[in-house]
Amino acid sequence: MAFEAAHKILPPIDYVSMIRSLYADRRSMLLGAFGSALAAAVAALEAKSALLGTFVVLFIVVGLLRNTDMRAFDAATIADEDVSGARHWEMRATIGAAAIALTYGCWCTVSFWLVNDSFAELTAASVSVSVLVGVSQRNFAVDRLMTIQVLLIAVPLALGLLLAGDIYYALLTLLLLPFFASLRRIAGSSRQILLRAVHGRIAASALATQLDAALTTLEHGLLMLDANGIIEVSNGQALRAFELPSSEGWIGRQVSDLFAAAVDNNSMPTAAHDQLLQLISSRTSGKVRLSVRSSCHYEVSVSSRHTKTVLLFEDISARIVVEERLSHMARYDALTGLPNRAYFSEKVELALRQRRETGLPAHVALWIVDVDDFKHINDTMGHIAGDNVLGELGRRLPAAFGPETICARLGGDEFIAFRADGAPPETLAALSQNVLAAMRDDIVIPGRKLLINVSIGTVISDTMTDDIESLMVKADLAIYAAKSKGKGAVVQFHDRMDTEYQQRQQLKNDLRQAITDGDITLVYQAIFDPRSNRVVGCEALARWNHPRYGPISPAVFIPIAEESGIITDLTRMVLAVATRDCSTWPGETTVAVNISARDFRSGGVEAMVVAALEQSNLTPQRLEIEVTETTVIEERAVATAVLSAIRARGVGVALDDFGTGYSSLSYLRALPLTKLKIDRSFVVDIETNPQALRLLANVAQLGKDIDLTITVEGVETDNQLSLLVSQTRIDQVQGFVYGQPLGLDAMTTLLRAADTSPPRKITKRAVAQH
């Protein structure tokens, strides 16, 4: 028979509790032992049997020994989960229970087998059976102890009935055996009920523990309410959201009391209080933003189902910080800390709208501030130096304009400012001088100091219908005029600028149409070899004769073409016409065409050159592309790659206006150049200034040393020409000394005449005749 070990099937705390129950009722145990001794004494007297009298003594002795053992247990200390100690006391209890059970069993055996007295038999059997029933009910949880007691009582009792020799006693044994067995089954069933209850309690306890752990470790705060708004479940995170201590015991209280305490604690805005109570009372779902402090934010999700309402508190402080950072990044310039263009426009539009609605103030002002020669700073000192300059301007401009002015970075090296506080026009106009004064102090960057100039275009308006776009257009016109005047200039918009602007806009449209209709014509300025007195090439120059305004200077319409983005269309047309015209000229005369920085940005320079050569059937060696230093600087990587590809096809590449830009030997070494065109500014003083002549000679020698053809531009007098030929190593000359640029027919006649005539000096008069 296998015993179920109680310490294995019960949780430690329940097992220890069961062992304690075995020692719990010492008085009842003593009364049972003494009562059994009394019953044995009565039976002994009735049967006049000294043998039965020994059981009186046994009951008393065993009872006293068990009492002593129970006293020792009371004196011992056993922890609630001390399974090892409890197993020791279980063994001692089993021994005591076995001793008393064996006494009952032997009493029954002796009464039925040896004494043969009906009263004695009845007394022993009835007392033992009653004890047996009590044992199965009291000790059912400890299977081994209960089973030992049942066996030690039932087996001797059955043996006594059999030894009595009475057939009816034997039949009674057959009836008693199932009874004894059923006692163990009943005890087993009771034990299973106990175990199920224990397991249920364990599961419930585990579930409660898990729920408690979940609530404790839950990242979000949680409140569960019943249908009446009573708080049934809460965790510490929920109370921390309200900055309330968890020790106040909010379980069982109205959630409105909690919210009211939070409002009194200044940890819940009144608006959030009202919104939450509205959602709870209406049993609808929703979310409420709860800002406890400036740095602590929660999103409270309210949901209701059946009779329960759950509030979930999510700490979104980190998300709010990110959102605020993103909002700041979207509104402010990272380099200067000033509002960016979009946020500036938003603030200005709001101010202008309020101005239109109220009629105040009468005057508003808008400034555009542009850094002079900023590209030169970036190119010569690096972008870090440029960033330092812009950052310093971002600090100086707000101080110069004052707190009433909205300052922003417009983009690149342009800043913008707006003021609409009712200041008089004189005060607004004077602010530009404040800005210029703020720029007089050097800007310190690592390793050096810089003196920065700015140009300012401003508009002061009392027109209520002005919006930000119209103000910016006017300020743009003013800054354009300021830049044209030189460094550190201030120009205030006036109405004539608007007329000029409208005319310029009309010219943009007319120029686009002129290019489309082929109304742009070309003239050619001859390039001479002064030593052989022969024309070696021509530079193609675009001319525009406007039907209304007459001849428009290239200095006007070329910038217009670049601003309007049609410069590439113009370049494509000039390339096509110039190569076509050149293909009709005799000999190896070349033609040069200028390419702008905008052409390189469009990415189609090489394709335009190839198309022009293919359509005109001109050999690549007779075409020359001219680029300025400014173009190379602005688009250095693209220009180098494109010019290298063009040069590989045999097309010449000339660096035009050398000496007027940011002249650098690195450009001469890196670019695939074939010609260096020295700017006219080097020629002006060579007749009167020997140093100017030496400088020009040295520049020419520099070009010759790197195998470049040297052309000098702007030669206007015979004396200049004579000095260049005798004192320098120049190869070619271009200028009015040989006459004005000629149209196609005149230039073709000149070239054909020179091609069929013996070499002779070609004078200005000779060119003019053609």
Side-chain angles (χ1 to χ4, degrees):
M1 181 179 295
F3 298 112
E4 293 181 291
H7 70 278
K8 293 183 179 180
I9 63 175
L10 292 174
I13 189 170
D14 293 311
Y15 171 66
V16 173
S17 297
M18 185 58 66
I19 299 306
R20 284 174 178 161
S21 70
L22 298 178
Y23 291 90
D25 199 351
R26 182 160 45 83
R27 179 176 298 178
S28 297
M29 184 278 299
L30 278 176
L31 288 177
F34 290 160
S36 299
L38 179 59
V42 172
L45 290 175
E46 193 279 331
K48 299 180 177 59
S49 171
L51 183 59
L52 291 179
T54 59
F55 288 100
V56 177
V57 177
L58 287 174
F59 280 124
I60 293 173
V61 170
V62 172
L64 291 174
L65 290 174
R66 294 186 71 194
N67 180 66
T68 300
D69 186 56
M70 295 176 77
R71 284 181 177 276
F73 178 83
D74 291 342
T77 301
I78 303 177
D80 290 342
E81 297 186 2
D82 185 5
V83 175
S84 177
R87 289 185 65 189
H88 168 75
W89 289 102
E90 179 189 356
M91 182 58 66
R92 293 179 61 164
T94 301
I95 294 172
I100 194 67
L102 183 61
T103 301
Y104 283 114
C106 294
W107 182 27
C108 292
T109 301
V110 170
S111 297
F112 282 102
W113 180 31
L114 299 178
V115 175
N116 196 20
D117 180 83
S118 299
F119 180 76
E121 293 172 353
L122 178 61
T123 301
S126 59
V127 171
S128 298
V129 170
S130 64
V131 168
L132 190 60
V133 173
V135 164
S136 66
Q137 296 301 313
R138 185 173 63 253
N139 299 331
F140 69 89
V142 187
D143 183 41
R144 178 170 59 185
L145 187 149
M146 187 275 297
T147 302
I148 289 173
Q149 283 192 299
V150 170
L151 290 175
L152 290 180
I153 294 176
V155 171
L157 175 58
L159 182 62
L161 291 172
L162 293 174
L163 293 175
D166 190 319
I167 186 63
Y168 294 107
Y169 281 11
L171 291 174
L172 183 59
T173 300
L174 297 176
L175 295 176
L176 288 175
L177 288 178
F179 169 70
F180 296 147
S182 67
L183 288 178
R184 189 167 185 271
R185 286 196 301 272
I186 292 171
S189 299
S190 299
R191 187 164 53 254
Q192 292 300 321
I193 294 172
L194 171 66
L195 289 176
R196 282 196 295 270
V198 169
H199 292 161
R201 180 180 61 78
I202 293 173
S205 177
L207 182 60
T209 301
Q210 292 170 357
L211 179 59
D212 183 67
L215 289 174
T216 303
T217 59
L218 184 65
E219 184 178 353
H220 303 329
L222 183 141
L223 290 177
M224 180 180 289
L225 316 177
D226 67 7
N228 298 316
I230 302 296
I231 301 174
E232 293 184 330
V233 177
S234 173
N235 64 356
Q237 286 86 333
L239 297 176
R240 279 196 292 273
F242 300 111
E243 294 189 323
L244 295 175
S246 58
S247 58
E248 291 190 21
W250 290 99
I251 302 299
R253 297 179 61 181
Q254 284 283 346
V255 71
S256 57
D257 295 340
L258 174 63
F259 292 169
V263 172
D264 294 339
N265 194 43
N266 293 322
S267 55
M268 175 184 274
T270 304
H273 168 278
D274 297 340
Q275 290 175 344
L276 287 173
L277 287 183
Q278 173 62 28
L279 289 173
I280 293 170
S281 61
S282 62
R283 303 191 59 76
T284 55
S285 299
K287 292 185 178 182
V288 175
R289 176 74 62 84
L290 177 62
S291 297
V292 180
R293 297 181 303 277
S294 60
S295 60
C296 188
H297 307 272
Y298 291 87
E299 186 175 74
V300 187
S301 299
V302 182
S303 57
S304 298
R305 187 175 182 182
H306 303 306
T307 61
K308 307 296 182 184
T309 299
V310 174
L311 283 73
L312 196 65
F313 298 81
E314 180 183 0
D315 188 343
I316 59 171
S317 302
R319 192 175 80 195
I320 294 298
V321 170
V322 172
E323 289 176 354
E324 290 177 348
R325 184 179 298 116
L326 291 175
S327 176
H328 186 275
M329 291 172 62
R331 295 182 170 204
Y332 290 87
D333 175 58
L335 182 60
T336 63
L338 297 176
N340 58 22
R341 179 170 186 163
Y343 189 38
F344 174 81
S345 299
E346 180 182 327
K347 297 177 75 171
V348 172
E349 286 172 354
L350 175 62
L352 292 175
R353 184 166 61 251
Q354 292 174 344
R355 175 176 180 248
R356 286 191 294 271
E357 292 172 354
T358 62
L360 297 172
H363 290 88
V364 297
L366 187 139
W367 296 263
I368 292 180
V369 181
D370 186 275
V371 182
D372 294 327
D373 298 327
F374 182 73
K375 187 166 185 56
H376 179 58
I377 297 174
N378 270 341
D379 292 334
T380 59
M381 302 179 193
H383 288 282
I384 293 178
D387 289 348
N388 288 336
V389 169
L390 294 177
E392 181 62 24
L393 259 66
R395 288 183 287 274
R396 293 189 186 186
L397 290 180
F401 277 115
E404 299 83 3
T405 305
I406 304 170
C407 295
R409 184 183 178 193
L410 191 58
D413 62 340
E414 283 192 323
F415 294 81
I416 192 167
F418 176 80
R419 182 162 174 173
D421 65 335
E426 298 79 11
T427 301
L428 298 175
L431 289 178
S432 298
Q433 298 304 319
N434 291 351
V435 174
L436 293 182
M439 296 298 108
R440 292 186 186 129
D441 294 333
D442 290 339
I443 293 179
V444 180
I445 63 174
R448 64 188 306 168
K449 296 180 180 179
L450 297 176
L451 182 61
I452 301 300
N453 292 308
V454 297
S455 297
I456 303 174
T458 180
V459 54
I460 300 174
S461 172
D462 60 356
T463 303
M464 287 296 174
T465 56
D466 272 339
D467 56 16
I468 186 171
E469 291 185 4
S470 63
L471 290 175
M472 287 186 67
V473 167
K474 294 174 182 178
D476 273 330
L477 294 174
I479 191 67
Y480 181 82
K483 298 293 281 188
S484 65
K485 291 177 65 174
K487 299 176 181 178
V490 177
V491 172
Q492 183 173 327
F493 174 83
H494 49 76
D495 292 338
R496 188 175 67 256
M497 289 182 181
D498 190 42
T499 302
E500 293 170 353
Y501 169 74
Q502 297 300 330
Q503 182 180 9
R504 190 178 184 85
Q505 293 301 105
Q506 183 61 47
L507 285 177
K508 287 182 181 181
N509 296 329
D510 293 345
L511 178 59
R512 179 178 283 105
Q513 191 63 44
I515 294 173
T516 302
D517 295 343
D519 293 336
I520 303 297
T521 60
L522 298 185
V523 295
Y524 298 95
Q525 186 171 37
I527 302 172
F528 287 86
D529 178 347
R531 291 176 177 86
S532 65
N533 290 314
R534 300 186 70 84
V535 179
V536 294
C538 297
E539 180 179 356
L541 304 172
R543 295 292 184 263
W544 181 24
N545 189 22
H546 193 279
R548 178 179 176 185
Y549 302 113
I552 305 294
S553 169
V556 173
F557 73 79
I558 295 298
I560 289 177
E562 291 182 337
E563 290 174 13
S564 57
I566 58 175
I567 186 65
T568 300
D569 295 332
L570 179 59
T571 303
R572 183 181 295 108
M573 185 276 295
V574 172
L575 268 170
V577 174
T579 53
R580 183 191 66 201
D581 292 348
C582 183
S583 67
T584 66
W585 295 338
E588 296 299 320
T589 307
T590 62
V591 67
V593 176
N594 285 280
I595 303 293
S596 76
R598 290 290 295 267
D599 292 327
F600 285 105
R601 291 186 202 127
S602 68
V605 171
E606 184 180 2
M608 285 193 298
V609 170
V610 172
L613 291 173
E614 290 178 349
Q615 291 170 8
S616 64
N617 224 6
L618 184 70
T619 59
Q621 289 73 18
R622 295 183 65 187
L623 175 63
E624 193 169 74
I625 296 300
E626 293 189 3
V627 294
T628 63
E629 289 178 286
T630 303
T631 297
V632 173
I633 290 172
E634 291 180 356
E635 304 295 335
R636 183 170 183 178
V638 176
T640 301
V642 173
L643 293 177
S644 297
I646 292 173
R647 184 70 192 93
R649 294 177 178 272
V651 176
V653 178
L655 186 61
D656 195 15
D657 299 332
F658 182 75
T660 60
Y662 310 109
S663 303
S664 171
L665 296 180
S666 64
Y667 297 140
L668 299 181
R669 186 180 65 253
L671 293 172
L673 300 176
T674 58
K675 179 184 286 188
L676 192 67
K677 298 186 72 174
I678 300 175
D679 186 69
R680 67 183 64 246
S681 61
F682 284 82
V683 182
V684 174
D685 298 332
I686 64 172
E687 296 176 83
T688 59
N689 188 344
Q691 186 177 5
L693 180 60
R694 286 195 300 271
L695 176 60
L696 192 153
N698 287 331
V699 172
Q701 182 62 47
L702 172 65
K704 297 300 291 183
D705 288 342
I706 54 177
D707 297 326
L708 298 180
T709 299
I710 307 301
T711 300
V712 177
E713 300 177 290
V715 181
E716 298 184 354
T717 68
D718 290 334
N719 193 28
Q720 289 175 341
L721 179 62
S722 177
L723 288 172
L724 291 173
V725 172
S726 62
Q727 302 295 323
T728 72
R729 295 186 61 195
I730 65 163
D731 299 300
Q732 299 169 358
V733 170
Q734 182 177 352
F736 289 167
V737 68
Y738 288 110
Q740 299 285 340
L742 302 176
L744 173 61
D745 293 340
M747 181 56 70
T748 302
T749 301
L750 174 64
L751 291 174
R752 287 176 179 170
D755 188 58
T756 59
S757 302
R760 63 185 177 91
K761 183 175 182 179
I762 302 178
T763 64
K764 181 176 182 182
R765 182 181 301 169
V767 173
Q769 289 174 353
H770 293 280

